[in-house]
Amino acid sequence: MSGTTRKRSFWSILMALTLVALLTACGGSSSSSGGTTSGASPSATGPKNALVRCPSNTNTTAASPETGQIHLVVAGWASTPAEDALVKQGLQNFEKLHPNVTVTWTPIPGDYATKMRANVASGNVPDVFYLQPPMAQEYIPAGKLLNLSPYMARDHVSPSTYYPSLMQDFDCADGTVFGIPKDWNSLGLFYNKTLFQQAGLGDPSNWTWDDLKNAAQKLTKRGSSPANSVYGIALPADASRWGAFLFANGGQMVSADGKQALFNSQAGIQAAEFYTSFELNHTGVMPGDVGASWDGDAFGKQQVAMTLEGGWMIPFLAQNYPKVQYGIAPLPIGPSGKRGNLLYTNAWAAYSGTKYPGMAWELIKYMTGADYQTQVLHDGFALPTLTSLANDSYFQQNPGVKVLQDGAAYGQPDFYGVADTEIHNDVSNALQSIMLGKQSATDALNAAAQKVNTWIQQNVAP
């Protein structure tokens, strides 16, 4: 699972979206795999995504795997050596299954989305590549992606094979599929078992918001300075964490068509007041308050007893803080009586102009299939997008990971359409303003919503 989606603000990769209209003006590119028309086979449509307009031209038939010597160029972002090695192993296994195919893995360092955008503009596009949700927002309407629905229909790969909440980011308004999620993660409540025992606290698996608030008070041990204090919880000023509380309270980030901010509703204001209350009451901290680079680091240093993170925390703690005894619990139940969560995912997709659409599909099918996803799961890197792996033995052996897997049932994608970047930036800034005592939750969220709505009015066609 890439760092690109797992710690959005911490890795400083909130990407500026190029307007869909601008990219569309570059012209759609239909694949050589078939005719051009809108829509897909009804038997292979995924969840309808009103936030993504379908392309006016796309392939409607599936090409057979090409014969002869084939060279596929495959791209993704540069990751850890261990994760890159896992991807390479999967590609090598694919080559063994297809002796006539040579695959070149070309990881892209730095700002992946910006560099891929330049590649698309120049026509120098890999055959198969990682697709982030904001990239899908750009590339799908512009006709830059191979329509996978005809291939899925032909090979009996139903979209329901994968979690619908993960598929939705890569589908368009009529359910046509342009990317298949390769892996994913959700948030869990990471808690320090030693500090919990010292505070007389038990298993937090069935906690409510009030339970979380009371526990943070009990766990906070203030010293002469933040650096030598222990706080109940680390909560960054980050829309990609606060959104889980918004959803748990029955709120929404944006309207169904993506054209109006809704996070400043009464449910949103109440969620923001609760989320920021830990910082204001000094029972929680932003990571920077204790000199930590991110909240996982503050948790590892045992400067905080709880934090909200995903599966990427597991290898991070094992490598950097192996002595910390911790557990993972579901996120607390909100006033609505429900939990909320955020889902982070990326997909495999193919360029609509690839010379080898049939073989590109075969590679996507393999890299999102059971064999490879099982290997990824057992290596501890990310969660499988296949529903059939929900009962894999790995989860019985690793109950904390099972908690994260269960987040799919009550989570929503951390992606909000064409204004995604503006929403993340403006909401995060609003949360910080509240935490610093500069604005009330009502004023901060109303101001952020006005900025988002103004941006939408100026940049999105009615």
Side-chain angles (χ1 to χ4, degrees), residues 11 131 162 165 171 226 254 266 277 293 299 305:
W11 290 97
L131 182 70
Y162 305 88
S165 54
D171 299 343
V254 69
Q266 189 57 43
S277 67
S293 58
F299 183 83

Side-chain angles (χ1 to χ4, degrees), residues 23 26 115-126 129 135 139 142 144 351:
L23 185 59
C26 297
K115 291 180 179 180
M116 276 295 297
R117 186 179 294 121
N119 290 338
V120 170
S122 66
N124 182 27
V125 188
F129 53 92
M135 293 168 64
Y139 297 167
K144 300 299 182 181
Y351 179 42

Side-chain angles (χ1 to χ4, degrees), residues 1-3 5-6 83 182-185 344-346 381-382:
M1 183 71 172
S2 161
T5 55
R6 60 194 178 199
E83 186 172 357
K182 68 185 190 67
D183 53 35
W184 68 285
N185 248 301
Y344 312 92
T345 190
N346 296 292
F381 280 93

Side-chain angles (χ1 to χ4, degrees), residues 209 239 241-254 262-272 275 336 340-342 412 416 423 427 445:
W209 281 14
R241 298 296 177 272
W242 172 72
F245 291 85
L246 172 69
F247 297 141
N249 204 33
Q252 291 296 320
M253 197 74 80
V254 69
L262 298 180
F263 53 76
N264 61 328
S265 64
Q266 189 57 43
I269 292 169
Q270 184 181 12
Y275 187 88
S336 67
N341 210 324
L342 296 174
Q412 298 188 40
Y416 310 107
I423 288 172
V427 169
L445 290 185

Side-chain angles (χ1 to χ4, degrees), residues 374-386:
T374 298
Q375 182 180 355
V376 172
L377 173 63
H378 287 200
D379 281 3
F381 280 93
L383 298 170
T385 61
L386 289 165

Side-chain angles (χ1 to χ4, degrees), residues 58-79:
T58 186
N59 58 286
T60 57
T61 60
S64 300
E66 293 77 19
T67 58
Q69 292 302 309
I70 295 170
H71 179 213
L72 292 177
V73 176
V74 180
W77 41 79
S79 186

Side-chain angles (χ1 to χ4, degrees), residues 45-206:
T45 56
K48 295 181 179 180
N49 185 354
L51 299 179
V52 179
R53 181 171 52 84
C54 295
S56 57
N57 295 295
T58 186
N59 58 286
T60 57
T61 60
S64 300
E66 293 77 19
T67 58
Q69 292 302 309
I70 295 170
H71 179 213
L72 292 177
V73 176
V74 180
W77 41 79
S79 186
T80 63
E83 186 172 357
D84 280 343
L86 186 62
V87 174
K88 290 178 182 178
Q89 184 61 56
L91 298 177
Q92 289 170 2
N93 291 342
F94 178 80
E95 288 179 322
K96 292 177 181 178
L97 295 172
H98 301 84
N100 64 317
V101 178
T102 300
V103 178
T104 299
W105 168 241
T106 57
I108 298 175
D111 190 338
Y112 176 77
T114 298
K115 291 180 179 180
M116 276 295 297
R117 186 179 294 121
N119 290 338
V120 170
S122 66
N124 182 27
V125 188
D127 298 286
V128 178
F129 53 92
Y130 288 174
L131 182 70
Q132 300 165 336
M135 293 168 64
Q137 177 76 47
E138 297 181 27
Y139 297 167
I140 291 175
K144 300 299 182 181
L145 301 179
L146 184 68
N147 177 358
L148 302 182
S149 287
Y151 294 88
M152 298 173 74
R154 183 195 65 189
D155 294 353
H156 306 290
V157 179
S158 172
S160 63
T161 301
Y162 305 88
Y163 290 104
S165 54
L166 303 179
M167 287 288 293
Q168 189 170 10
D169 283 349
F170 311 105
D171 299 343
C172 67
D174 66 4
T176 304
V177 179
F178 292 91
I180 297 182
K182 68 185 190 67
D183 53 35
W184 68 285
N185 248 301
S186 69
L187 295 174
L189 177 66
F190 283 71
Y191 63 98
N192 186 304
K193 290 185 175 181
T194 302
L195 297 178
F196 263 52
Q197 185 177 17
Q198 293 174 356
L201 295 171
D203 183 358
S205 294
N206 293 308

